[in-house]
């Protein structure tokens, strides 16, 4: 049976027409209680730096704002598609390009401003302002907090926002967002990529994987390899769809570092 290392090496068959796409949190770094403390290991940064020079495209597709993604990974040659497909930051750009109707930009933030209450702080809900997306984190809090978060989600849906659930995080998004599915499609729309490797760990990545596999089935991506970082919190369907399943972010970093060390 072929090893994950040898499966990934398809990226080097025609490196200029190969794309490596990776999520950040839970995939290039471990999930921590406070998202601001998450740290991408140096080994991952160094590997992505090398690969960004060798491959046609290396992109981080993340729920973080694009500029935060670039700060975390710290590699200028990488493209960052942030905020789940809302912000595209290409190498050398100072500011991300927005992929959203301007009318929808402030909708989630207005909802938070109108509904935020001291009860949220008592329940240990932590707010993350991601511009068009507002995230409520409750890692470390109990079932009562989770029940409260579900109530907030119901109100948000009634206010015409979309509720998106991740690993101990609720994201309130503007309606009609395509999420990471739209991001991967936009990234691959140009250049005629032959080979695509995508890695992720969570529900938002599942959207991207579904879209990528549709594109493969239509013949738009000749070769696709999906890598999933397994966890008890991640969606089963992602793990079922994956070609390679690893147990933690360090395993994925190990794979890309092996790839970066190869001659190509
Ligand atoms: Mg993730």
């Amino acid at each position: 049976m072929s090893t994950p290392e040898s499966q990934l090496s398809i990226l080097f068959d025609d490196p200029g027409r190969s794309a490596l796409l990776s999520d950040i949190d839970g995939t290039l770094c471990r999930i921590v209680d406070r998202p601001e403390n998450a740290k991408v290991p140096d080994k991952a940064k160094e590997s992505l730096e090398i690969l960004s020079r060798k491959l046609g495209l290396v992109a981080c597709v993340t729920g973080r704002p694009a500029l935060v993604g670039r700060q975390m990974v710290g590699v200028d040659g990488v493209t960052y598609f942030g905020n789940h497909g809302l912000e595209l930051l290409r190498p050398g750009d100072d500011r991300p390009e927005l992929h959203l109707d301007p009318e929808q930009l402030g909708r989630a933030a207005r909802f938070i401003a109108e509904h935020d209450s001291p009860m949220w702080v008592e329940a240990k809900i932590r707010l993350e302002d991601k511009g068009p997306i507002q995230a409520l984190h409750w890692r470390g809090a109990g079932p009562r907090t989770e029940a409260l978060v579900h109530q907030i989600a119901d109100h948000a849906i009634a206010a015409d926002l979309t509720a998106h659930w991740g690993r101990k995080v609720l994201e309130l998004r503007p309606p009609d967002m395509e999420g990471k599915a739209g991001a991967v499609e936009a990234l691959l729309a140009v250049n005629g990529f032959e080979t695509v490797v995508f890695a992720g760990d969570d529900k938002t990545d599942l959207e991207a994987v579904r879209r990528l596999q549709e594109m493969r089935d239509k013949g738009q991506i000749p070769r696709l390899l999906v890598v999933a970082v397994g966890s008890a919190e991640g969606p089963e369907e992602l793990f079922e769809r994956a070609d390679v399943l690893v147990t933690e972010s360090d395993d994925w970093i190990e794979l890309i570092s092996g790839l970066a060390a190869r001659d190509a």
Side-chain angles (χ1 to χ4, degrees), residues 104-144:
Q104 298 198 14
L105 283 175
R107 198 188 272 251
R110 281 197 298 276
F111 173 86
I112 294 290
E114 284 162 17
H115 293 79
D116 191 6
S117 87
M119 213 163 70
W120 293 14
V121 178
E122 281 164 32
K124 297 194 181 128
I125 295 172
R126 295 179 299 278
L127 292 172
E128 186 187 4
D129 179 358
K130 307 206 288 186
I133 298 178
Q134 299 287 315
L136 287 76
H137 296 266
W138 74 91
R139 183 166 296 275
R144 273 199 293 194

Side-chain angles (χ1 to χ4, degrees), residues 23-27 31 180 201-202 205:
D23 168 50
I24 299 180
D25 290 85
T27 305
I31 301 269
K180 289 190 181 180
D201 72 306
D202 205 351
D205 304 309

Side-chain angles (χ1 to χ4, degrees), residues 215-227:
M215 290 170 75
R216 177 199 55 200
D217 295 345
K218 287 188 212 155
Q220 293 163 342
I221 307 171
R223 290 193 301 180
L224 171 68
L225 186 80
V226 172
V227 180

Side-chain angles (χ1 to χ4, degrees), residues 33 59 65 71 76 85 133 146 175-176 210 221 233 235-236 238:
D33 282 350
Q71 204 172 32
D76 291 339
I133 298 178
E146 188 154 348
D176 306 325
R210 286 192 190 127
I221 307 171
E233 296 163 350
E236 200 55 45
L238 174 66

